[in-house]
Amino acid sequence: MPDGAVAPLGVALVGYGYWGPNLLRNYMELPGVTVRSVCDRRPEVLQKAQTRYPSVTVTVDLADVLADDDVDAVVIATPVRTHFPIAMAALEAGKHVFVEKPITDDSLHARRLVDLAADRSLVLMVGHTFVFSPPVRRVKELIDAGELGDIYFVTTQRVNLGLHQKDVSVIWDLATHDLSILYYWLDEAAETVVVTGRGCVTASIPDVAFVNLRFPSGVIALLDVAWLSPVKLRRTIVVGSDRMLLYDDTEAVEKVKIYDHGVDFKDPQTFGEFQLSYRTGDIVAPKIDMTEPLFSEASHFINCIETGERPITDGYAGLRVVASLESAERSLNNHGGARRITVPRMAVDAGDRA
Ligand SMILES: NC(=O)c1ccc[n+]([C@@H]2O[C@H](COP(=O)([O-])OP(=O)(O)OC[C@H]3O[C@@H](n4cnc5c(N)ncnc54)[C@H](O)[C@@H]3O)[C@@H](O)[C@H]2O)c1
């Protein structure tokens, strides 16, 4: 390598099933990155990776990946139950870690990963992909700029005739996305959760759930998630004191629309006088860029490794989503009893991130 040149960052991918190929394609395109290896338990999928990307080494053994000194970072896209042991081994081997959502299936495990990464000064990032999607980013800018006023409430629908998972409920599969989006938008995690749901097709695995959240700021939210629905809906409504917003991810264009609608309460001048004025103004669809979320996500991970910046979706963001999912599941199993969401404390102080 010529003098002064910076060595490319070495990346390895673990898990080449449904999602792994999407991650690999994006890391292959990133400047300043060399994908050194792909690891999967199934030789037949490794064959496909090798044919597509002949420069990449393939292996069924994670130890090969971790023993490679030129691998700086490990990207994990294996089933959720395997995230913890693989991420732990990678951090212990001194590698930066990107792990798919949800970070783990247990908040105590997530906390151990967060603590270990902090202890070793390694980047730990979770694949809350929607946080990197342009419409979600745009809504965040609008909320932060005060365009909607004070946020009153949010409702979401994430339903379709979806693939029934064998081991996790619809809450872990789909509400993960809405929780990560909401926590990013609102800069806070919910404090209580009330869930009703049922397993319609398989009694033991809920395939529909209505997740009610209350946030410390007073914002309330209702997430409707289901694998049973005649149509695919990906709709979120945010109602603020000044404006309202619809984010529809199934729209090809105009995914976000801002409605200058509202109801104003006029202070009564005399006893018994009660006046509301209704406002239906313009509807505006802001221009939204088309960058692929996975490319932005991968770039952000690499940038955080290079600069030491904390990822937007760091391990702590993953932990608080998992803690919320656990409380949601407890509420569901308790016939909708209210549950507090308690995020396990860090051994290393997480600052003011909650
Ligand atoms: N961010 C998103 O929008 C998004 C979308 C889909 C899936 N995901 C996440 O990606 C992850 C993988 O999901 P998927 O649908 O690709 O699953 P999958 O079952 O299709 O693929 C997982 C792969 O991991 C391999 N594997 C399992 N255990 C392994 C081990 N110990 N070592 C090496 N390889 C191992 C399997 O052989 C398989 O090829 C999950 O965490 C899922 O939640 C994220």
Side-chain angles (χ1 to χ4, degrees):
M1 186 182 314
D3 280 353
V6 181
L9 210 102
V11 170
L13 172 72
V14 185
Y16 197 72
Y18 160 67
W19 198 242
N22 296 324
L23 295 170
L24 182 58
R25 175 172 50 78
N26 279 282
Y27 280 94
M28 291 300 295
E29 285 173 11
L30 272 183
V33 169
T34 301
V35 179
R36 292 193 50 86
S37 47
V38 174
C39 170
D40 197 291
R41 282 197 166 155
R42 296 183 294 157
E44 67 275 18
V45 298
L46 290 176
Q47 186 64 49
K48 286 187 195 157
Q50 182 80 92
T51 307
R52 185 133 192 213
Y53 305 106
S55 65
V56 169
T57 305
V58 295
T59 175
V60 291
D61 192 351
L62 179 66
D64 293 339
V65 170
L66 302 183
D68 182 348
D69 289 338
D70 290 328
V71 169
D72 302 290
V74 174
V75 173
I76 302 168
T78 54
V80 180
R81 64 181 182 286
T82 67
H83 287 180
F84 175 66
I86 297 173
M88 202 71 182
L91 290 170
E92 276 167 350
K95 316 292 188 195
H96 302 285
V97 167
F98 172 94
V99 56
E100 260 311 327
K101 61 85 198 164
I103 186 168
T104 54
D105 58 4
D106 176 330
S107 56
L108 292 175
H109 282 164
R111 195 196 87 164
R112 284 178 61 191
L113 293 180
V114 172
D115 286 344
L116 183 60
D119 201 36
R120 303 270 171 105
S121 301
L122 292 166
V123 173
L124 172 63
M125 176 167 159
V126 61
H128 290 166
T129 315
F130 276 99
V131 168
F132 296 90
S133 93
V136 170
R137 287 269 164 124
R138 193 75 181 92
V139 174
K140 169 78 173 158
E141 286 166 13
L142 292 164
I143 291 174
D144 285 356
E147 291 284 326
L148 307 183
D150 295 332
I151 306 302
Y152 288 151
F153 67 90
V154 182
T155 59
T156 71
Q157 285 176 301
R158 191 175 294 277
V159 301
N160 59 306
L161 203 55
L163 202 60
H164 279 67
Q165 311 276 318
K166 290 190 207 74
D167 49 353
V168 294
S169 75
V170 72
I171 297 179
W172 281 82
D173 186 37
L174 297 184
T176 311
H177 292 303
D178 298 301
L179 288 168
S180 65
I181 294 170
L182 275 180
Y183 292 2
Y184 169 61
W185 280 349
L186 301 175
D187 272 334
E188 58 177 346
E191 58 184 3
T192 52
V193 59
V194 172
V195 183
T196 49
R198 64 178 291 199
C200 304
V201 175
T202 312
S204 61
I205 301 187
D207 44 22
V208 55
F210 307 117
V211 181
N212 282 274
L213 301 164
R214 180 174 288 278
F215 290 79
S217 63
V219 173
I220 57 171
L222 172 64
L223 321 180
D224 166 9
V225 287
W227 292 322
L228 290 173
S229 167
V231 289
K232 177 172 177 168
L233 299 177
R234 296 286 185 266
R235 288 159 69 95
T236 301
I237 286 173
V238 184
V239 174
S241 55
D242 293 346
R243 290 191 185 81
M244 304 174 181
L245 177 148
L246 170 66
Y247 158 41
D248 187 342
D249 208 46
T250 59
E251 289 283 345
V253 285
E254 301 190 350
K255 286 177 186 283
V256 175
K257 291 197 186 98
I258 307 156
Y259 292 72
D260 189 9
H261 292 6
V263 183
D264 297 320
F265 178 76
K266 296 229 169 76
D267 270 343
Q269 302 295 314
T270 57
F271 181 75
E273 190 183 75
F274 177 80
Q275 276 194 352
L276 296 178
S277 74
Y278 288 78
R279 180 166 39 80
T280 50
D282 291 342
I283 303 168
V284 176
K287 186 169 159 33
I288 290 172
D289 83 71
M290 300 290 282
T291 317
E292 187 182 353
L294 282 187
F295 189 77
S296 304
E297 183 186 74
S299 308
H300 184 63
F301 178 50
I302 298 304
N303 186 53
C304 288
I305 294 171
E306 286 170 348
T307 63
E309 188 190 319
R310 194 174 75 210
I312 300 171
T313 56
D314 64 357
Y316 186 75
L319 166 62
R320 64 185 191 176
V321 165
V322 169
S324 306
L325 293 168
E326 285 174 340
S327 297
E329 197 118 279
R330 276 197 284 271
S331 171
L332 192 156
N333 293 335
N334 193 27
H335 309 292
R339 291 279 151 175
R340 278 200 82 76
I341 296 171
T342 316
V343 181
R345 290 176 63 81
M346 303 289 115
V348 178
D349 185 25
D352 58 357
R353 285 179 242 179

